[in-house]
Amino acid sequence: MLREEAAKRIQFLTQEIKQHNHAYYVLSQPSISDFDFDQLLSELITLEKQFPEFANLNSPTQRVGGEITKTFTTVTHKYPMLSLGNTYSEEELIDFDARVRKTIGDEVAYVCELKFDGLAIGLTYKNGKLVQAVTRGDGTRGDDVTTNVRTIKSIPLELKPGTYPEEFEIRGEILMHRKAFEKLNKEREEIGEPAYANPRNFASGTVKMQDSAEVAKRPLDCFLYFVLAEKSPFKSHFESLNNAAAWGFQVSDHYRLCKNIDEVLHFIKYWDTERSNLSYDIDGIVLKVNNYHQQEELGFTAKSPRWAISYKFKAQEAETQLLKISYQVGRTGAITPVANLKPVQLAGTTVKRATLHNANEIERLDLREGDYVFIEKGGEIIPKIKGVNLSRRPTNSTSHHYITNCPECNTPLVRNEGEVVHYCPNESGCKPQLIGKIQHFISRKAMNIDGFGDETVEQLYAANLLHTVADIYQLATKKEAILALDRFAEKSVNNLLEGIEQSKKMPFEKVLFGLGIRFVGETVAKKLAKHFVSIQRIATASIEELVEAEEIGEKIAQSIHLYFAEPSNRLLIEALQQAGLQLESSLQQNIPQSTILAGKTFVISGVFINHSREALKELIEANGGKIVSSIAAKLSYLVAGDNMGPAKLAKATELNIPIIDEEKLVELITN
């Protein structure tokens, strides 16, 4: 394809994909199939890679992230992000209305909006392009999280031509939908990480992650609700919301213009009952005077505007009896206490159980079996015990004593210094841990073994055919024993054994994740595989060497070090190696050693398909080349991947520095 044709095609694809993104994520009206969308995106990625000079900072391909941010720059807000006064009382809302009308007269209308339970964000656009995203912070200054916010698909990177100001800020709330929260929280618990209490905390933690590629994998959403500009083109807040939606922003459908306080109260009562039917959390209603001139007349206090107030819903509560405190043992040995409750209706569901988190929580609440307790579902997805009705506690009640031994294998529990969770240390003999580790190993994100499921693991364990993950690769020798079990026939057993054989081809990072080392989730496993290349190098690394790897902190390093210090785990690795699993990164194998790149310098930028950046670095250095951090006139090559920084691309082009991709780099060495 000629350069002129490529430029036109890239421009066409960019606009086409943006429109489909808007239709899908903002309007919830997909206009093409997922397959067709993926085809368009794939073509754009290929063209931008082939013709990087036409790549755009606001291209849809930038949604995947890839930049690492060690620290976030603090930014002073152009317009302070003041907090709103709030109330739980309808009487105080009526008093607020009276104060407003006393100042500006009775001709007043209010805009009522849902109060999203998320992370406040301010987005600045210049000439229709997103240039900065800043968190609330302390209201005066916040963190620049632009790189991460660019990955949120409901936030437009570039607006269609419209009547918006040359420069403006639009504010809103970044949130996570409940189903996504539950799924991601489950994944955290599986690797021994504490669960987030609610979607708001999860969304906030995600926006502050260092790796934007990981942010891109988490399904964040954003509703916008407030336009700020030096010269506003609008006379009212209601008008600005309508226009923001027309510009391409996701504005909630559930705002309403109310003519008086009675209509406001009706709106509040409606959403107090209907909020449970939303896919995301709200914790109240925001009330704003609609007319901008009237807002100016009402003015501000030191902390908040006098023309707005938020009404906060009370958390939905119920009272029921705590029948028993039981204990669950997780895959990592973590003990989780669970409150078994007398069934009660709450927020449209029947609640029978509530997590108690740890011993500290039980002690803090002074919970006792037989107590009548108050449970709530406010911002919490999982029902939470708020307190005890002491007036109903029997006089002969006794304090609850947290268990000291594992409820499954009776091993004395341990509690590490500085941690709140108790653990069963019997990794090699505790049934839930053994079964959980195998179930994790075969799971889709790990070894993804076809024909294997959680029930199959339990059945084979009960038949004494599975004890560790290494036993999976001995099942081919036990085919007759498997056929003798219920629900197994020749075809299903053959499928199972074929799936096991195919799993030997899974890459090293999947095997590493599948081992189930505490705190080593999918992302950490990838970082370790890229940095250390092989299981042997990880196993022999010191804690100091481990923390040198990207995103590996002291806690993770200690967990890895302890895992490989255990003789039974080293024997397990040997067994997996003998079985033929991939225990070193194939991308790093057989790196040629030469001096062919001697005297040449390289800058690596972007995200690559076939190699990690660490792999390319090792490849260059193994052949005599040198990696440098910045582009200068004497640079030999810029190795460019997807989503590379536009500044580097522009500077390299200006200095006539050769720009090559990963395939060309390999050719330089092999030829």
Side-chain angles (χ1 to χ4, degrees), residues 22-41:
H22 179 72
Y24 186 91
Y25 291 103
V26 179
L27 303 179
S28 297
Q29 297 173 351
S31 49
I32 60 172
S33 69
D34 289 349
F35 175 80
D36 290 338
F37 180 86
D38 290 341
Q39 292 293 100
L40 292 175
L41 188 60

Side-chain angles (χ1 to χ4, degrees), residues 49 509 530 585-589 607-616 619 640-642 661-664 666:
K49 182 179 176 182
E509 63 192 44
K530 289 178 181 179
S585 176
S586 59
L587 298 179
Q588 308 284 344
Q589 292 174 13
V607 180
F608 299 89
I609 297 173
N610 298 319
H611 301 78
S612 68
R613 291 174 68 165
E614 185 67 24
L616 293 176
L619 185 64
D642 292 337
D661 58 16
E662 57 186 320
E663 294 173 0
K664 184 64 177 177
V666 173

Side-chain angles (χ1 to χ4, degrees), residues 528-652:
L528 288 168
K530 289 178 181 179
H531 186 88
F532 288 100
V533 180
S534 70
I535 198 84
Q536 287 80 9
R537 286 182 60 183
I538 297 174
T540 56
S542 65
I543 290 177
E544 291 75 17
E545 289 170 331
L546 287 165
V547 296
E548 288 178 3
E550 187 181 327
E551 290 194 28
I552 307 301
E554 187 86 14
K555 184 173 71 170
I556 298 174
Q558 287 177 348
S559 176
I560 296 167
H561 193 69
L562 286 172
Y563 179 88
F564 287 105
E566 175 60 44
S568 62
N569 290 332
R570 293 201 298 271
L571 289 172
L572 173 66
I573 299 303
E574 287 179 18
L576 294 178
Q577 193 163 24
Q578 291 173 7
L581 273 69
Q582 305 296 315
L583 295 178
E584 64 179 48
S585 176
S586 59
L587 298 179
Q588 308 284 344
Q589 292 174 13
N590 304 317
I591 292 179
Q593 302 287 325
S594 75
T595 58
I596 197 166
L597 301 180
K600 293 181 171 58
T601 55
F602 297 80
V603 166
I604 303 173
S605 182
V607 180
F608 299 89
I609 297 173
N610 298 319
H611 301 78
S612 68
R613 291 174 68 165
E614 185 67 24
L616 293 176
K617 176 178 179 290
E618 291 194 16
L619 185 64
I620 290 167
E621 291 177 342
N623 288 277
K626 182 180 178 182
I627 303 296
V628 295
S629 59
S630 59
I631 293 175
K634 293 183 179 180
L635 182 70
S636 303
Y637 294 99
L638 169 62
V639 185
D642 292 337
N643 309 320
M644 70 169 293
K648 285 183 178 178
L649 179 62
K651 190 168 184 180

Side-chain angles (χ1 to χ4, degrees), residues 341 346 349-357 375-378 380-386:
L341 307 166
L346 178 63
T349 59
T350 301
V351 176
K352 298 179 182 179
R353 290 154 63 87
T355 180
L356 295 174
H357 301 295
I375 59 173
E376 70 175 22
K377 282 177 78 174
E380 314 297 325
I381 295 298
I382 303 168
K384 176 183 178 182
I385 293 181
K386 185 180 179 183

Side-chain angles (χ1 to χ4, degrees), residues 235-492:
K235 295 181 179 180
S236 71
H237 181 57
F238 190 75
E239 184 186 357
S240 76
L241 288 176
N242 289 337
N243 276 272
W247 297 341
F249 292 108
Q250 179 166 252
V251 176
S252 169
D253 294 331
H254 305 305
Y255 63 92
R256 180 181 170 188
L257 183 63
C258 298
K259 298 175 183 176
N260 52 54
I261 194 65
D262 289 334
E263 290 188 4
V264 170
L265 296 176
H266 178 78
F267 184 88
I268 288 171
K269 288 175 182 176
Y270 175 82
W271 282 109
D272 195 7
T273 57
E274 284 297 310
R275 56 182 162 134
S276 60
N277 293 324
L278 295 169
S279 64
Y280 48 84
D281 287 334
I282 62 170
D283 57 2
I285 298 296
V286 175
L287 172 64
K288 299 173 184 173
V289 170
N290 181 43
N291 184 281
Y292 282 161
H293 178 72
Q294 291 177 335
Q295 287 186 9
E296 289 180 13
E297 193 173 345
L298 287 162
F300 298 82
T301 67
K303 294 183 178 180
S304 58
R306 289 193 176 93
W307 43 264
I309 192 171
S310 68
Y311 177 89
K312 300 196 76 172
F313 294 131
K314 293 176 182 176
Q316 294 172 297
E317 296 182 3
E319 183 179 343
T320 190
Q321 190 175 22
L322 171 57
L323 302 175
K324 183 177 178 60
I325 296 175
S326 59
Y327 296 86
Q328 295 177 338
V329 184
R331 169 178 63 80
T332 61
I335 306 297
T336 303
V338 177
N340 295 274
L341 307 166
K342 186 176 181 180
V344 63
Q345 284 289 316
L346 178 63
T349 59
T350 301
V351 176
K352 298 179 182 179
R353 290 154 63 87
T355 180
L356 295 174
H357 301 295
N358 51 61
N360 288 2
E361 184 72 358
I362 295 174
E363 184 178 349
R364 183 184 71 81
L365 294 168
D366 187 24
L367 284 178
R368 307 179 185 186
E369 291 180 346
D371 275 344
Y372 282 85
V373 295
F374 301 109
I375 59 173
E376 70 175 22
K377 282 177 78 174
E380 314 297 325
I381 295 298
I382 303 168
K384 176 183 178 182
I385 293 181
K386 185 180 179 183
V388 178
N389 186 347
L390 295 175
S391 67
R392 300 185 69 178
R393 175 176 281 176
T395 54
N396 62 348
S397 173
T398 58
S399 297
H400 179 80
H401 295 287
Y402 202 88
I403 58 173
T404 57
N405 290 61
C406 175
E408 295 287 342
C409 67
N410 205 37
T411 301
L413 301 179
V414 296
R415 189 179 188 180
N416 298 326
E417 185 178 350
E419 294 187 4
V420 296
V421 177
H422 287 76
Y423 287 88
C424 170
N426 184 19
E427 292 185 37
S428 59
C430 183
K431 179 181 174 181
Q433 292 190 64
L434 292 170
I435 291 176
K437 288 179 190 300
I438 299 170
Q439 289 173 335
H440 172 73
F441 187 81
I442 67 168
S443 65
R444 181 177 57 83
K445 289 191 174 182
M447 302 304 287
N448 193 23
I449 301 179
D450 288 339
F452 231 148
D454 288 352
E455 290 183 3
T456 303
V457 172
E458 292 175 5
Q459 190 176 6
L460 294 175
Y461 181 90
N464 204 30
L465 296 174
L466 274 184
H467 191 72
T468 71
V469 296
D471 294 334
I472 292 172
Y473 297 95
Q474 300 301 317
L475 289 177
T477 65
K478 303 173 182 178
K479 182 175 179 179
E480 295 305 318
I482 301 173
L483 283 169
L485 300 176
D486 290 341
R487 300 187 302 107
F488 280 103
E490 185 78 25
K491 184 176 180 180
S492 59

Side-chain angles (χ1 to χ4, degrees), residues 73-81 134-144:
T73 305
T74 300
V75 177
T76 300
H77 292 295
K78 185 175 182 179
Y79 310 97
M81 290 185 90
V134 183
T135 62
R136 178 193 294 279
D138 62 5
T140 302
R141 299 187 305 168
D143 290 327
D144 186 328

